[in-house]
Amino acid sequence: MLAYALYSVAALLALATIAAALAASVHGNATVYGASLIVTLALCAIALLKLIQPASSSTVVLPIGLPWLGAHFRMDSVAAFFLVVVDLGGAAASLFALGYGRHEQVPQRVLPFYPAFLAAMNLVVLADDAFTFLVSWEFMSLTSWALVIAHHRERDNVRAGYIYLLMASFGTLALLLAFGLLAGVDGHYAFSAIRFSHPAAGSAALVLLLALIGAGSKAGVVPLHAWLPLAHPAAPSHVSALLSGVMTKVAVYGFIRIVFDLLGPPSWWWSMVVLAVGGITAVMGVLYALMQHDLKRLLAYHTVENIGIIFIGLGLALAFKSYDLDWAAALALTAGLFHVFNHSIFKGLLFFGAGAVLNATGERDMEHLGGLINRMPQTAFVFLVGCLAISALPPLNGFVSEWLTFQAILVSPQLPSWGLKFLVPAVGALLALAAALAAACFVKAFGITFLGRPRTPVAEQARETDRFSLAVMFAFAAICLIAGVLPGVFIDALAPVTKSLVGVSMPHQTGVQWLSIVPIAESRSSYNGLLVFLFVVLSGSIAAFVIHRLASDRLRRGPAWNCGYPDLSPVTQYTASSFAQPIRRVFGTLVFRAREIGEMPPPGAAQPARLTVELHDVIWDALYAPLEKGIAYAAEKLNVLQFFSIRRYLSLVFSALVLLLLVLAIWL
Amino acid sequence: MRGLNFDVAHLLAGSLVLVSFVQLYQDRLYALLNIYALHALVLALSVAWQAFAQDAPHLYVTAIIALVFKAIVIPVVLHRIIVRLGIHREIEKVVGVGPAMLLGIGLVALSMVVMLRVTADADPLAREDLAFALSVVLLGLLMMVTRRNAVSQVVGFMSLENGLVLAATGAKGMPLVVEISVAFSVLIAFIVIGIFLFRIRERFDSVDLQALDRFRGERR
């Protein structure tokens, strides 16, 4: 099975080289995306088979890479699950791009890197030794970077790519050090060897922190998220969907692989770090998102938020595992992994929707959109489904995974550690806050973009997107619904994954009556998505029926948004910033140092009144800006070294040599 | 035989260090070149003795290379160069004799301390040899650092390379291929430096490297 997966990855790599030749031709787009679609579907099927029949994990050693080490590959159930996530997202993005990619201005900058990026993500998940893992990881970073700067002539894209490259190298460095510590002095780079050699407590803690920094910077945990909202929107939309929906999940995979699989038994305080990071990430991500007017950047910040939710699940699993509450660890880990899957689906869906809007109008700024529900009804419908799912509303899938996370939080009083007893409810409060703010944020995103009246002529003349894009968006919306209504099937599919990571799995769900899910015991909690779905559908239909029957069913035209503004100009509508203003007033002064400056001209003056909002990115100002300044200062000072005479360079070399010899003479 | 082996090798390597010291305070270029030729000659003798002592005939080739190229060809060519450049009467000094010699003594002491301690359980012959070789290398570097004239920097570089050869032959000989390639690389470096000397001279009417610095607007 693994062999077929590797053949498929090789096919993707070959496709990347072919794409370089085909890119300029007329059929390049259809060929590359069509072939990518077929190969990723095959990979997805292979991984699904593996997940359903978790026989022994197969391994392959290829004689490439470092001599005497080779390249080890392995497909166990964890890898299989993440392969499903990667390749389902990849297949969807390919299908979307069959339509979307036709509008690409510079296909030769996108087509060759796209299959290579897919192949790299698959290789990271399949790798079974540190060297192969890191090389694939770096390959993934580089190919995605090339895709991020595909439109390098647009403003800010090159800067986004530069920051991304810096952060990616930094993250890989952290992972490199982590694997160096894991491999120990003997240099066991194969995962199979690392798994049985547990490092000492001090270095294990260091590995955890390095893994959190390395994988976290790729996944976008605060405060290492700085590159993410810049880079994800810069890429073409189907690539944005891959970056946000899939690549962050590969980073989560890296964290899970190192911390749960390779590092050995956890100590209790590890989970506190992960939980705190997760909670802060979730709230900060959504607060940033609320302040955004750029649709794709808003979605990218929501990726940060959802990564926070996933890390909360992983942190809880670590906490329970360190106290041998294996059943609770299985619950928390299932919640986290289910959210990994869910987020990859609805974030993909939302980015596809944003891509469709971008294609139809050429606008990413919500303040220039509006009223698109009339022009693009189908896109609006699926985008609404995605918004409901990401806002964690029942009966969709986002609710189930967040509900499971809350169930795990409610188990936390059983933890013996007082620190965790206090921290976990606080994180639960943060999670609840993030969920509520996310809902507010998506009311804004959907309402400003699709409802109301068009704010610009381009929004007025938008046209419904193509059939490929609609097909994939409807498919993802359907998955959102199915995973929300029948979560038991998905939870049972995750059983082998949690079993291999924490030793046990959640109770079997498909046998429970009425398709409910019961994470712990019937007496404690249960959730029936089907019931909620039927209730929503029935009450909605009855309400609609009653209104249409009892009220007049004639079409009426009434004044829109007529809240004391009889003026018909679309400028009088709610805007994205006015919608976010209450929340900005509550959190903004603390988190963003927001200032609102109102300029009211004196009576009789001709200039308009203005309200300017100043926002500061506190994390950037506190962490990145001083770092940037420090490096620039040091570079400025060290610049002198470039212009020495030969003799002075020789003296430097000479004194360095003598100094080292002195050190050797004194200390040896 | 063992005692004699050691004594002669010790004597030759020690003389090499001594000749390095002599190089250090030469302020006339002719004298410097002559001392360099002596340096290479002592090296050739030392290598030949190693060849005899270790019963390794290929080291004789190394010795002959050292003798022919380093003791004869290179000094003769450098002689001609300085005559053609018209700098054979120049006197140069950056650091005075006293400080230079004191620095050199410090370096030799340092290399002794380091080498004798690091190679505590090695063959005594190789130990002494390595310590002397490191001294020669450091003295060569010191010479490159303290000289201003390009020709004397070349000489410093060459004597540094002699130290490397000494180290390599002391440690149970090195493959001939390595020796030949090192010799060739030195030769090529020599040619390149020679060409550059003429180019510098053409442009600045001097091979004093301070002229280069002045040209680049360096402050001293």
Side-chain angles (χ1 to χ4, degrees), chain B residues 95-107:
Chain B
V95 184
V97 174
M101 298 304 274
L102 281 178
L103 271 176
I105 292 168
L107 289 178

Side-chain angles (χ1 to χ4, degrees), chain A residues 155-217:
Chain A
R155 205 161 54 90
D156 293 343
N157 279 7
V158 171
R159 177 166 175 269
Y162 179 63
I163 292 175
Y164 174 36
L165 203 59
L166 281 184
M167 293 297 287
S169 331
F170 172 70
T172 311
L173 174 69
L175 283 183
L176 183 73
L177 295 177
F179 279 118
L181 282 173
L182 279 174
V185 281
D186 305 329
H188 294 301
Y189 289 107
F191 285 173
S192 51
I194 294 176
R195 211 165 272 136
F196 294 107
S197 63
H198 299 315
S203 57
L206 206 56
V207 170
L208 172 88
L209 293 180
L210 286 171
L212 193 59
I213 291 172
S217 69

Side-chain angles (χ1 to χ4, degrees), chain A residues 317-489:
Chain A
L318 271 180
F320 292 127
K321 195 184 169 193
S322 64
Y323 286 111
D324 289 328
L325 293 165
D326 284 343
W327 56 274
L331 168 61
L333 191 61
T334 307
L337 291 175
F338 197 14
H339 202 72
V340 163
F341 175 77
N342 290 341
H343 180 247
S344 79
I345 298 296
F346 52 62
K347 188 46 64 73
L349 169 58
L350 289 169
F351 261 114
F352 294 150
V357 169
L358 178 62
N359 229 351
T361 62
E363 275 292 344
R364 277 166 32 179
D365 191 343
M366 288 192 287
E367 311 277 36
H368 297 162
L369 297 170
L372 289 179
I373 195 168
N374 296 318
R375 309 291 312 180
M376 311 171 72
Q378 294 173 322
T379 307
F381 174 72
V382 286
F383 198 86
L384 179 61
V385 173
C387 288
L388 293 177
I390 200 172
S391 311
L393 294 181
L396 296 169
N397 57 353
F399 176 77
V400 182
S401 45
E402 290 200 26
W403 184 75
L404 285 175
T405 313
F406 275 113
Q407 293 304 315
I409 286 174
L410 292 179
V411 182
S412 69
Q414 299 193 17
L415 287 167
S417 145
W418 280 102
L420 282 169
K421 268 187 200 187
F422 282 113
L423 180 68
V424 174
V427 169
L430 287 179
L431 182 58
L433 177 64
L437 289 176
C441 188
F442 275 98
V443 170
K444 169 179 129 175
F446 186 79
I448 304 295
T449 312
F450 288 96
L451 303 182
R453 279 175 297 148
R455 290 180 176 79
T456 51
V458 284
E460 211 162 352
Q461 286 148 17
R463 295 185 47 196
E464 185 59 273
T465 188
D466 57 281
R467 276 173 302 148
F468 289 115
S469 309
L470 281 176
V472 64
M473 288 194 282
F474 270 99
F476 265 18
I479 295 177
C480 282
L481 185 64
I482 293 169
V485 171
L486 302 170
V489 183

